[in-house]
Amino acid sequence: GQNIDQPTEMTATEGAIVQINCTYQTSGFNGLFWYQQHAGEAPTFLSYNVLDGLEEKGRFSSFLSRSKGYSYLLLKELQMKDSASYLCALPGTGTASKLTFGTGTRLQVTL
Amino acid sequence: GAVVSQHPSWVICKSGTSVKIECRSLDFQATTMFWYRQFPKQSLMLMATSNEGSKATYEQGVEKDKFLINHASLTLSTLTVTSAHPEDSSFYICSTEGAKSQETQYFGPGTRLLVL
């Protein structure tokens, strides 16, 4: 089976940096996704990590440590529009696209 | 532009009625589609895997006779919520396998269902 743990809520200030952590347990690792979801909308893809290390994509970076079962999403230069839920997800080992989502972290960016 | 569409985007119905939700892949053929459900302030939970030309595979705890899935073509999967009840009120989202790689899984915009 698969288990994912994320903080439920976080608050950060506009312009700041925030790190959203995700720890997971899985019987077979097939990469890890991060999605952003605004209220009432579908998730949008942010990143996919399959190898250890940090991958940077503009203001957003994602880190993975397979040995520790740990990932984080780093958001820099926070903007108000970054207020959303951030979902950590694991693809299945059988049908790869079958995703198991974490509970999501609701990020509130304040002035 | 969007590669997966859903219709309707929202629907309100009376308890006991059936509601059909369509999920279409616009730019490519999708042999497999996934249906998720999301209750308020909760994460997405996979309900079933829709396979073109064969029966859907349901996750544990999801009633297959209540949530009917039909994947009759490579571009269309439908989810019918039969005899809907207020507890079925939720946000239903479909997704397709990536056309090229796991990185490109596409989600539909979602359908919000409210059962009165």
Side-chain angles (χ1 to χ4, degrees):
Chain A
Q2 297 178 316
N3 188 53
I4 301 171
D5 192 33
Q6 300 178 240
T8 305
E9 294 183 347
M10 297 183 72
T11 302
T13 306
E14 189 178 34
I17 300 173
V18 70
Q19 177 175 312
I20 302 174
N21 296 324
C22 170
T23 57
Y24 65 87
Q25 297 89 38
T26 180
S27 56
F29 185 75
N30 200 21
L32 184 144
F33 287 93
W34 282 98
Y35 286 88
Q36 180 191 60
Q37 186 181 27
H38 286 99
E41 299 181 10
T44 54
F45 170 81
L46 291 178
S47 67
Y48 172 64
N49 294 67
V50 65
L51 299 176
D52 289 350
L54 183 69
E55 291 198 10
E56 298 185 63
K57 234 185 239 186
R59 293 191 299 116
F60 292 6
S61 302
S62 56
F63 171 84
L64 175 68
S65 170
R66 289 172 294 171
S67 63
K68 295 182 179 178
Y70 169 67
S71 174
Y72 68 72
L73 182 68
L74 193 69
L75 290 73
K76 301 176 184 176
E77 301 170 14
L78 280 173
Q79 302 174 10
M80 297 299 289
K81 67 178 182 180
D82 297 330
S83 293
S85 287
Y86 291 86
L87 310 175
C88 178
L90 293 173
T93 54
T95 302
S97 293
K98 178 177 169 179
L99 294 173
T100 299
F101 284 90
T103 53
T105 299
R106 285 192 298 278
L107 173 66
Q108 181 69 44
V109 180
T110 61
L111 291 172
Chain B
V3 296
V4 178
S5 69
Q6 279 185 243
H7 177 79
S9 56
W10 60 272
V11 58
I12 301 174
C13 69
K14 293 182 179 180
S15 184
T17 60
S18 294
V19 175
K20 180 185 284 188
I21 302 170
E22 295 184 347
C23 176
R24 293 182 184 273
S25 62
L26 304 177
D27 295 335
F28 62 96
Q29 296 178 332
T31 56
T32 302
M33 292 185 179
F34 302 93
W35 286 97
Y36 294 86
R37 177 169 56 183
Q38 185 176 34
F39 292 107
K41 296 190 177 182
Q42 296 185 25
S43 194
L44 284 77
M45 295 295 293
L46 180 67
M47 298 176 66
T49 302
S50 172
N51 303 297
E52 188 269 335
S54 64
K55 291 182 179 180
T57 305
Y58 291 82
E59 295 301 300
Q60 191 172 8
V62 178
E63 300 174 57
K64 61 180 182 180
D65 294 330
K66 180 170 181 63
F67 299 99
L68 301 179
I69 291 174
N70 184 282
H71 195 151
S73 77
L74 290 171
T75 59
L76 174 65
S77 175
T78 61
L79 168 68
T80 301
V81 183
T82 61
S83 186
H85 289 98
E87 57 265 30
D88 298 322
S89 298
S90 188
F91 191 45
Y92 292 87
I93 305 174
C94 69
S95 74
T96 67
E97 286 185 308
K100 297 179 182 178
S101 72
Q102 281 187 190
E103 296 190 35
T104 55
Q105 177 172 170
Y106 302 111
F107 284 87
T111 297
R112 188 162 300 283
L113 170 64
L114 177 60
V115 184
L116 301 176

